[in-house]
Amino acid sequence: MKKYRFRVGDLVREKQFEATESSGYGIVTMSIKIGSSTKYRCIWSDDKEYWVKEKNLYLIARGQSGHTS
């Protein structure tokens, strides 16, 4: 069984965006594996929520997974 590359709460950026302080960054809210590909539902800095393929994302910072620091 393949593990998910990103976890809920991780701060990510979509590779195709020209990221600025106000756009291009999101937080993973859900993940799903369909066949051989994995998709992540993210809420973005512009308050929109949509699905993105794993290969189109890269990690900025790990979330705390519900734990306090």
Side-chain angles (χ1 to χ4, degrees):
M1 183 171 146
K2 182 180 175 190
K3 292 187 176 184
Y4 292 113
R5 185 170 162 200
F6 304 108
R7 294 180 287 194
V8 173
D10 288 352
L11 178 65
V12 293
R13 181 175 153 192
E14 194 168 6
K15 289 181 181 179
Q16 71 183 12
F17 280 150
E18 193 67 36
T20 63
E21 287 182 19
S22 61
S23 67
Y25 294 95
I27 296 177
V28 176
T29 59
M30 187 176 177
S31 57
I32 189 167
K33 185 163 176 56
I34 302 172
S36 62
S37 67
T38 305
K39 291 189 178 185
Y40 295 91
R41 187 172 72 181
C42 302
I43 187 161
W44 298 94
S45 54
D46 58 359
D47 294 329
K48 293 182 181 176
E49 195 166 353
Y50 55 92
W51 292 91
V52 183
K53 289 184 179 179
E54 181 178 55
K55 67 180 181 178
N56 294 332
L57 291 174
Y58 66 91
L59 183 69
I60 300 295
R62 282 278 179 214
Q64 292 181 340
S65 301
H67 301 285
T68 56
S69 58

